[in-house]
Amino acid sequence: MVSDRTKSATADTWWLPRGVVTLRGHIFEKVNGDHTVTLPSATHGPEVFERVYAHPAVNGRSAGAGLSDLFWYWLSPGPEVHQEHLESGERYEEVAATTRRMLAGSSAELTAAATRAFVRVLDTVPDTRISLVRLRDLVMPAWAEFCYELVFREPCPPHARDLITAHADDVISALKCTGLRHPRRRARLTSYLSERVAAGDVPYPLPATLSPAEQVHYLQGTMFNTAVVQLSEATAHVLLALARHPEVQQRVTQDTEEGPYLTRVLDETMRLYPLFGIAHRITTGEVRLDEDTVLPTGSVVCFSYPDYHATGYDRPDEFDPDRWATLSAKDAHHIPFGVAANRPCPAWRLSPLVLRAAVREVLRRFQLDSTAAHTRSIPHRAPCLLIPRGLSPEPRRLRALRSFVRTRDAVEDVTRGVRQLVLGTAMVLHARRQRLTVRYFEERPVGGCPVAHPKEGSERQHPYPRR
């Protein structure tokens, strides 16, 4: 069976000049310079990945990494108070506690809220004909409504849903380098949230260690960026996997209400298509990789989720939910929500609950079909045919639509690859000129001490000193 990764690599090699593909990868590999280590690697396998990821000294979030400048640029406004990028300390602890309160709720309440949001969005899709959609675009407004209700504990008005959706789409498009970022578009949501926070409309105490402007940016970045984007990406991955594997889709539709097989599908989807490609951390103390190798303080460690998720499995590139009939997620190389010892995703309990509700509501209404390629980043936003239940499409028309999806995807892969190269290069250069992270930490202490930055020829530039 040919894996999606192999198909993607083959498509890139066939359609694009080999040098363009290579250059695109080098741009992002070199953002941090040479003082970076990526795990797992040929030298240090998954056991080192696990040990280092859980190491207490691998807890720096942004200060001292060139890659942070790029992520702050993409996540603006307010990346300095984004929960993922806050350094450890009182501010982080208070922000994390606030997020946990917002995400709390019984399983029944959360499932019902997700179902309501999807009912409202799916009611706008025609039920008398086949629709060609981009799955991420289809589900993002539903998750915008859902997250709004988590924060404000009231139904989401259309205007707010549109602001949240436009903001989240702008962030993820920039992250995937399929479009430039649009600060004015993001500022419209900032303005809306500022008015709501000032009016006291958030029924939770917001972190007192944050200024009013920072409280707004915290809500925008954590709840209306990361939460909406990650739920949308996860749903698109699951639905696209079902669309490309009709036998799996059929079994899910026949699954019981408890959903044991759907749970396996979610686990396998998040294994093969993890939402995070690379998570970067900065060491705040020395970390030993092996008997001869020590990472000095200030090293940048990049943890590759796809590479880790590909270890320890038979046929790792094959989509096979049945592997989880005998595997336990906690015992396998499977960390879709991070690791418990190093700030796991705060939505680790909520996400599977609401994803199951969303998938069931979609499948209750539609049969899914797609011939588009499935890769981890899904920059094409997951093209898919929605066939209403009870509709029997004419076979020749269905074949024509499937052929159109396949052909359009192949053509778009060419233009998109070049666009990502050009726009990605432009944003990397712009981010490096702005130096958002470097300038921020030059003015503020981390852990009570001024931030030191590596100088030419210093030991901090070399992550593999021999001891």
Side-chain angles (χ1 to χ4, degrees):
M1 180 175 181
V2 180
S3 72
D4 288 319
R5 293 180 187 176
T6 304
K7 291 177 182 175
S8 178
T10 303
D12 273 350
T13 302
W14 175 260
W15 287 104
L16 293 174
R18 188 181 299 271
V20 171
V21 178
T22 302
L23 180 59
R24 188 172 68 190
H26 283 328
I27 288 173
F28 297 102
E29 289 175 359
K30 294 301 181 183
V31 169
N32 276 309
D34 295 327
H35 55 295
T36 303
V37 58
T38 299
L39 298 174
S41 66
T43 306
H44 300 100
E47 66 287 344
V48 177
F49 176 103
E50 295 165 356
R51 175 168 52 80
V52 174
Y53 208 159
H55 196 288
V58 186
N59 64 340
R61 311 306 286 192
S62 291
L67 196 57
S68 300
D69 280 329
L70 188 54
F71 275 105
W72 280 35
Y73 175 87
W74 279 326
L75 294 174
S76 293
E80 68 277 5
V81 292
H82 191 291
Q83 184 166 331
E84 171 64 17
H85 289 270
L86 274 171
E87 303 298 327
S88 297
E90 181 184 3
R91 278 157 63 95
Y92 167 74
E93 295 299 333
E94 194 175 10
V95 162
T98 302
T99 302
R100 287 194 296 269
R101 284 194 293 270
M102 290 184 182
L103 299 181
S106 70
S107 298
E109 290 171 338
L110 294 170
T111 297
T115 301
R116 287 195 304 271
F118 269 78
V119 165
R120 286 191 292 268
V121 167
L122 295 177
D123 278 348
T124 66
V125 181
D127 60 2
T128 58
R129 60 176 173 83
I130 300 175
S131 298
L132 174 56
V133 302
R134 309 269 184 172
L135 290 169
R136 196 185 82 196
D137 298 346
L138 174 71
V139 304
M140 189 173 281
W143 291 125
E145 289 195 18
F146 174 79
C147 291
Y148 176 97
E149 291 192 13
L150 288 179
V151 172
F152 293 105
R153 296 297 176 184
E154 65 182 24
C156 180
H159 176 62
R161 180 194 65 195
D162 294 344
L163 287 175
I164 296 167
T165 302
H167 169 261
D169 180 71
D170 192 68
V171 171
I172 193 60
S173 296
L175 277 164
K176 295 181 186 297
C177 301
T178 57
L180 295 173
R181 63 175 194 161
H182 298 84
R184 290 183 181 179
R185 185 178 302 166
R186 302 180 186 195
R188 287 194 282 270
L189 178 59
T190 308
S191 178
Y192 173 82
L193 293 175
S194 297
E195 294 176 2
R196 298 298 304 274
V197 170
D201 292 339
V202 181
Y204 304 94
L206 293 173
T209 52
L210 304 184
S211 68
E214 289 174 330
Q215 291 174 350
V216 169
H217 286 150
Y218 151 68
L219 287 175
Q220 184 165 350
T222 301
M223 299 303 297
F224 298 128
N225 169 11
T226 298
V228 174
V229 164
Q230 298 291 52
L231 285 169
S232 300
E233 290 272 297
T235 311
H237 274 300
V238 175
L239 295 178
L240 184 59
L242 294 175
R244 287 173 47 86
H245 298 85
E247 71 288 352
V248 175
Q249 182 178 170
Q250 181 63 25
R251 288 182 62 181
V252 171
T253 60
Q254 297 171 347
D255 206 2
T256 65
E257 285 301 315
E258 289 74 20
Y261 186 66
L262 178 53
T263 297
R264 296 176 196 170
V265 171
L266 295 183
D267 285 340
E268 181 67 352
T269 302
M270 293 300 99
R271 181 196 70 81
L272 191 54
Y273 309 108
L275 298 179
F276 290 103
I278 292 288
H280 79 286
R281 302 287 183 267
I282 303 93
T283 60
T284 55
E286 289 189 344
V287 177
R288 183 171 294 278
L289 293 184
D290 55 38
E291 292 183 357
D292 301 316
T293 311
V294 174
L295 294 178
T297 301
S299 298
V300 179
V301 187
C302 291
F303 297 96
S304 173
Y305 277 57
D307 289 337
Y308 176 70
H309 280 188
T311 62
Y313 299 93
D314 293 330
R315 302 167 287 106
D317 290 336
E318 183 177 330
F319 182 77
D320 180 16
D322 281 327
R323 73 172 79 241
W324 297 101
T326 55
L327 278 177
S328 169
K330 64 182 180 65
D331 296 326
H333 294 171
H334 189 252
I335 52 168
F337 303 107
V339 297
N342 197 331
R343 292 199 203 174
C345 173
W348 64 269
R349 170 182 167 269
L350 172 144
S351 293
L353 285 172
V354 298
L355 281 173
R356 284 195 292 267
V359 171
R360 286 197 176 282
E361 185 59 30
V362 172
L363 292 183
R364 186 179 71 80
R365 296 167 179 253
F366 301 103
Q367 176 186 341
L368 310 175
D369 188 290
S370 183
T371 52
H374 194 172
T375 59
R376 191 203 64 80
S377 64
I378 51 171
H380 52 26
R381 312 192 309 281
C384 184
L385 298 173
L386 301 183
I387 306 171
R389 295 289 178 184
L391 181 69
S392 298
E394 199 273 319
R396 185 166 55 183
R397 172 170 171 73
L398 184 58
R399 285 196 299 271
L401 288 171
R402 298 182 84 245
S403 178
F404 172 77
V405 172
R406 182 185 301 108
T407 302
R408 187 183 68 173
D409 183 50
V411 172
E412 287 182 346
D413 194 46
V414 180
T415 57
R416 184 173 52 246
V418 175
R419 186 169 72 251
Q420 286 178 294
L421 172 65
V422 174
L423 299 184
T425 303
M427 287 188 284
V428 167
L429 295 176
H430 194 198
R432 295 189 72 171
R433 285 198 301 272
Q434 291 199 352
R435 301 170 66 246
L436 295 176
T437 314
V438 172
R439 289 191 290 109
Y440 179 84
F441 285 109
E442 281 176 345
E443 300 170 1
R444 295 164 180 81
V446 176
C449 302
V451 174
H453 298 285
K455 298 179 180 179
E456 286 294 323
S458 70
E459 185 185 17
R460 287 186 60 194
Q461 288 184 305
H462 306 285
Y464 290 109
R466 295 295 174 181
R467 299 291 176 91

